Amino acid sequence: MKAYAIAAETVKDQAMFDAYRKVVPETLAPFGGQFIVRGGNLTVLEGEWRHPRLVVIEFPSRAAAEGWYRSAEYQKVISLRLNSAVGSLIMVDGTA
């Protein structure tokens, strides 16, 4: 079953966030992760949405998604995201 990492975020330091964006793809590859949505034009149709940026990353399984998040490679760069943006990151199984 596929799993998804979903981030809703507001960038506070664009230069630092750009450094993060540059290195994240190489951390995904060993876990089969691929971007489904990475930024882009977001339109709120109902309710409230707190953050203007949305990212959806697809993984082949929850184990792969959790492996990526906990990997030494990602942990080396996570501080760039945490120090340059605010928001939420969730993981969800892709049952349909």
PDB file of all heavy atoms in Angstrom, residues 3-5 31 57 59-70 91:
ATOM      1  N   ALA A   3       2.065   5.147   0.550  1.00  0.00           N
ATOM      2  CA  ALA A   3       1.927   6.110   1.647  1.00  0.00           C
ATOM      3  C   ALA A   3       2.386   7.467   1.123  1.00  0.00           C
ATOM      4  O   ALA A   3       3.157   7.553   0.159  1.00  0.00           O
ATOM      5  CB  ALA A   3       2.771   5.691   2.847  1.00  0.00           C
ATOM      6  N   TYR A   4       1.900   8.512   1.769  1.00  0.00           N
ATOM      7  CA  TYR A   4       2.176   9.872   1.324  1.00  0.00           C
ATOM      8  C   TYR A   4       2.649  10.725   2.491  1.00  0.00           C
ATOM      9  O   TYR A   4       2.076  10.662   3.577  1.00  0.00           O
ATOM     10  CB  TYR A   4       0.915  10.492   0.715  1.00  0.00           C
ATOM     11  CG  TYR A   4       0.453   9.725  -0.498  1.00  0.00           C
ATOM     12  CD1 TYR A   4      -0.369   8.610  -0.364  1.00  0.00           C
ATOM     13  CD2 TYR A   4       0.877  10.083  -1.769  1.00  0.00           C
ATOM     14  CE1 TYR A   4      -0.767   7.879  -1.472  1.00  0.00           C
ATOM     15  CE2 TYR A   4       0.482   9.357  -2.884  1.00  0.00           C
ATOM     16  CZ  TYR A   4      -0.341   8.262  -2.725  1.00  0.00           C
ATOM     17  OH  TYR A   4      -0.725   7.521  -3.820  1.00  0.00           O
ATOM     18  N   ALA A   5       3.675  11.512   2.238  1.00  0.00           N
ATOM     19  CA  ALA A   5       4.091  12.555   3.169  1.00  0.00           C
ATOM     20  C   ALA A   5       3.519  13.844   2.606  1.00  0.00           C
ATOM     21  O   ALA A   5       3.714  14.157   1.422  1.00  0.00           O
ATOM     22  CB  ALA A   5       5.612  12.633   3.257  1.00  0.00           C
ATOM     23  N   PHE A  31      14.405   5.597  -1.218  1.00  0.00           N
ATOM     24  CA  PHE A  31      13.168   5.090  -0.609  1.00  0.00           C
ATOM     25  C   PHE A  31      12.010   5.051  -1.604  1.00  0.00           C
ATOM     26  O   PHE A  31      10.866   4.805  -1.224  1.00  0.00           O
ATOM     27  CB  PHE A  31      12.813   5.942   0.618  1.00  0.00           C
ATOM     28  CG  PHE A  31      13.898   5.913   1.649  1.00  0.00           C
ATOM     29  CD1 PHE A  31      14.892   6.888   1.663  1.00  0.00           C
ATOM     30  CD2 PHE A  31      13.979   4.876   2.567  1.00  0.00           C
ATOM     31  CE1 PHE A  31      15.935   6.849   2.584  1.00  0.00           C
ATOM     32  CE2 PHE A  31      15.014   4.821   3.493  1.00  0.00           C
ATOM     33  CZ  PHE A  31      15.989   5.809   3.495  1.00  0.00           C
ATOM     34  N   ILE A  57       4.376  13.898  -1.321  1.00  0.00           N
ATOM     35  CA  ILE A  57       5.399  12.959  -1.770  1.00  0.00           C
ATOM     36  C   ILE A  57       4.840  11.552  -1.646  1.00  0.00           C
ATOM     37  O   ILE A  57       4.364  11.160  -0.576  1.00  0.00           O
ATOM     38  CB  ILE A  57       6.689  13.073  -0.928  1.00  0.00           C
ATOM     39  CG1 ILE A  57       7.186  14.520  -0.893  1.00  0.00           C
ATOM     40  CG2 ILE A  57       7.756  12.127  -1.462  1.00  0.00           C
ATOM     41  CD1 ILE A  57       8.284  14.768   0.134  1.00  0.00           C
ATOM     42  N   PHE A  59       5.255   7.449  -1.676  1.00  0.00           N
ATOM     43  CA  PHE A  59       6.209   6.375  -1.399  1.00  0.00           C
ATOM     44  C   PHE A  59       5.533   5.035  -1.684  1.00  0.00           C
ATOM     45  O   PHE A  59       4.311   4.922  -1.565  1.00  0.00           O
ATOM     46  CB  PHE A  59       6.642   6.412   0.071  1.00  0.00           C
ATOM     47  CG  PHE A  59       7.485   7.598   0.426  1.00  0.00           C
ATOM     48  CD1 PHE A  59       6.904   8.774   0.875  1.00  0.00           C
ATOM     49  CD2 PHE A  59       8.866   7.544   0.304  1.00  0.00           C
ATOM     50  CE1 PHE A  59       7.671   9.879   1.199  1.00  0.00           C
ATOM     51  CE2 PHE A  59       9.651   8.638   0.622  1.00  0.00           C
ATOM     52  CZ  PHE A  59       9.055   9.803   1.073  1.00  0.00           C
ATOM     53  N   PRO A  60       6.304   4.012  -2.000  1.00  0.00           N
ATOM     54  CA  PRO A  60       5.703   2.707  -2.281  1.00  0.00           C
ATOM     55  C   PRO A  60       5.057   2.050  -1.060  1.00  0.00           C
ATOM     56  O   PRO A  60       4.206   1.168  -1.209  1.00  0.00           O
ATOM     57  CB  PRO A  60       6.860   1.870  -2.812  1.00  0.00           C
ATOM     58  CG  PRO A  60       8.103   2.577  -2.410  1.00  0.00           C
ATOM     59  CD  PRO A  60       7.742   4.017  -2.218  1.00  0.00           C
ATOM     60  N   SER A  61       5.442   2.482   0.146  1.00  0.00           N
ATOM     61  CA  SER A  61       4.884   1.893   1.372  1.00  0.00           C
ATOM     62  C   SER A  61       5.108   2.844   2.539  1.00  0.00           C
ATOM     63  O   SER A  61       5.927   3.770   2.457  1.00  0.00           O
ATOM     64  CB  SER A  61       5.577   0.561   1.683  1.00  0.00           C
ATOM     65  OG  SER A  61       6.942   0.789   2.010  1.00  0.00           O
ATOM     66  N   ARG A  62       4.410   2.587   3.626  1.00  0.00           N
ATOM     67  CA  ARG A  62       4.628   3.383   4.844  1.00  0.00           C
ATOM     68  C   ARG A  62       6.039   3.150   5.383  1.00  0.00           C
ATOM     69  O   ARG A  62       6.693   4.072   5.854  1.00  0.00           O
ATOM     70  CB  ARG A  62       3.605   3.059   5.921  1.00  0.00           C
ATOM     71  CG  ARG A  62       3.867   3.872   7.201  1.00  0.00           C
ATOM     72  CD  ARG A  62       2.763   3.729   8.213  1.00  0.00           C
ATOM     73  NE  ARG A  62       1.637   4.564   7.891  1.00  0.00           N
ATOM     74  CZ  ARG A  62       1.449   5.789   8.370  1.00  0.00           C
ATOM     75  NH1 ARG A  62       2.338   6.342   9.159  1.00  0.00           N
ATOM     76  NH2 ARG A  62       0.371   6.468   8.057  1.00  0.00           N
ATOM     77  N   ALA A  63       6.508   1.921   5.289  1.00  0.00           N
ATOM     78  CA  ALA A  63       7.866   1.633   5.762  1.00  0.00           C
ATOM     79  C   ALA A  63       8.889   2.470   4.999  1.00  0.00           C
ATOM     80  O   ALA A  63       9.839   2.994   5.589  1.00  0.00           O
ATOM     81  CB  ALA A  63       8.174   0.145   5.627  1.00  0.00           C
ATOM     82  N   ALA A  64       8.694   2.624   3.691  1.00  0.00           N
ATOM     83  CA  ALA A  64       9.609   3.446   2.894  1.00  0.00           C
ATOM     84  C   ALA A  64       9.503   4.909   3.300  1.00  0.00           C
ATOM     85  O   ALA A  64      10.517   5.601   3.443  1.00  0.00           O
ATOM     86  CB  ALA A  64       9.307   3.278   1.408  1.00  0.00           C
ATOM     87  N   ALA A  65       8.284   5.388   3.505  1.00  0.00           N
ATOM     88  CA  ALA A  65       8.078   6.789   3.904  1.00  0.00           C
ATOM     89  C   ALA A  65       8.718   7.070   5.257  1.00  0.00           C
ATOM     90  O   ALA A  65       9.421   8.071   5.435  1.00  0.00           O
ATOM     91  CB  ALA A  65       6.589   7.115   3.934  1.00  0.00           C
ATOM     92  N   GLU A  66       8.483   6.185   6.210  1.00  0.00           N
ATOM     93  CA  GLU A  66       9.075   6.373   7.530  1.00  0.00           C
ATOM     94  C   GLU A  66      10.591   6.213   7.479  1.00  0.00           C
ATOM     95  O   GLU A  66      11.311   6.922   8.175  1.00  0.00           O
ATOM     96  CB  GLU A  66       8.451   5.389   8.523  1.00  0.00           C
ATOM     97  CG  GLU A  66       7.005   5.739   8.826  1.00  0.00           C
ATOM     98  CD  GLU A  66       6.307   4.716   9.720  1.00  0.00           C
ATOM     99  OE1 GLU A  66       6.881   3.638   9.988  1.00  0.00           O
ATOM    100  OE2 GLU A  66       5.178   5.021  10.145  1.00  0.00           O
ATOM    101  N   GLY A  67      11.070   5.311   6.641  1.00  0.00           N
ATOM    102  CA  GLY A  67      12.509   5.138   6.468  1.00  0.00           C
ATOM    103  C   GLY A  67      13.158   6.402   5.940  1.00  0.00           C
ATOM    104  O   GLY A  67      14.230   6.808   6.394  1.00  0.00           O
ATOM    105  N   TRP A  68      12.505   7.042   4.968  1.00  0.00           N
ATOM    106  CA  TRP A  68      13.016   8.307   4.438  1.00  0.00           C
ATOM    107  C   TRP A  68      13.079   9.371   5.531  1.00  0.00           C
ATOM    108  O   TRP A  68      14.112   9.995   5.729  1.00  0.00           O
ATOM    109  CB  TRP A  68      12.134   8.808   3.290  1.00  0.00           C
ATOM    110  CG  TRP A  68      12.347  10.259   3.002  1.00  0.00           C
ATOM    111  CD1 TRP A  68      13.438  10.810   2.373  1.00  0.00           C
ATOM    112  CD2 TRP A  68      11.499  11.340   3.366  1.00  0.00           C
ATOM    113  NE1 TRP A  68      13.297  12.180   2.310  1.00  0.00           N
ATOM    114  CE2 TRP A  68      12.112  12.528   2.918  1.00  0.00           C
ATOM    115  CE3 TRP A  68      10.266  11.424   4.013  1.00  0.00           C
ATOM    116  CZ2 TRP A  68      11.545  13.782   3.098  1.00  0.00           C
ATOM    117  CZ3 TRP A  68       9.699  12.675   4.179  1.00  0.00           C
ATOM    118  CH2 TRP A  68      10.338  13.829   3.739  1.00  0.00           C
ATOM    119  N   TYR A  69      11.973   9.547   6.261  1.00  0.00           N
ATOM    120  CA  TYR A  69      11.926  10.605   7.273  1.00  0.00           C
ATOM    121  C   TYR A  69      12.989  10.402   8.350  1.00  0.00           C
ATOM    122  O   TYR A  69      13.604  11.353   8.814  1.00  0.00           O
ATOM    123  CB  TYR A  69      10.539  10.680   7.909  1.00  0.00           C
ATOM    124  CG  TYR A  69      10.429  11.839   8.861  1.00  0.00           C
ATOM    125  CD1 TYR A  69      10.233  13.124   8.385  1.00  0.00           C
ATOM    126  CD2 TYR A  69      10.557  11.658  10.228  1.00  0.00           C
ATOM    127  CE1 TYR A  69      10.161  14.203   9.254  1.00  0.00           C
ATOM    128  CE2 TYR A  69      10.484  12.722  11.106  1.00  0.00           C
ATOM    129  CZ  TYR A  69      10.280  13.991  10.608  1.00  0.00           C
ATOM    130  OH  TYR A  69      10.218  15.058  11.465  1.00  0.00           O
ATOM    131  N   ARG A  70      13.230   9.173   8.717  1.00  0.00           N
ATOM    132  CA  ARG A  70      14.195   8.873   9.791  1.00  0.00           C
ATOM    133  C   ARG A  70      15.630   8.675   9.278  1.00  0.00           C
ATOM    134  O   ARG A  70      16.548   8.509  10.080  1.00  0.00           O
ATOM    135  CB  ARG A  70      13.744   7.630  10.544  1.00  0.00           C
ATOM    136  CG  ARG A  70      12.470   7.871  11.324  1.00  0.00           C
ATOM    137  CD  ARG A  70      12.097   6.670  12.180  1.00  0.00           C
ATOM    138  NE  ARG A  70      10.936   6.961  12.983  1.00  0.00           N
ATOM    139  CZ  ARG A  70       9.695   6.598  12.680  1.00  0.00           C
ATOM    140  NH1 ARG A  70       9.460   5.921  11.575  1.00  0.00           N
ATOM    141  NH2 ARG A  70       8.690   6.906  13.473  1.00  0.00           N
ATOM    142  N   MET A  91       1.901  12.023   7.576  1.00  0.00           N
ATOM    143  CA  MET A  91       2.070  10.838   6.762  1.00  0.00           C
ATOM    144  C   MET A  91       0.723  10.112   6.755  1.00  0.00           C
ATOM    145  O   MET A  91       0.091   9.982   7.813  1.00  0.00           O
ATOM    146  CB  MET A  91       3.160   9.949   7.349  1.00  0.00           C
ATOM    147  CG  MET A  91       3.682   8.922   6.395  1.00  0.00           C
ATOM    148  SD  MET A  91       5.213   8.193   7.007  1.00  0.00           S
ATOM    149  CE  MET A  91       6.305   9.603   6.966  1.00  0.00           C
TER     150      MET A  91
END
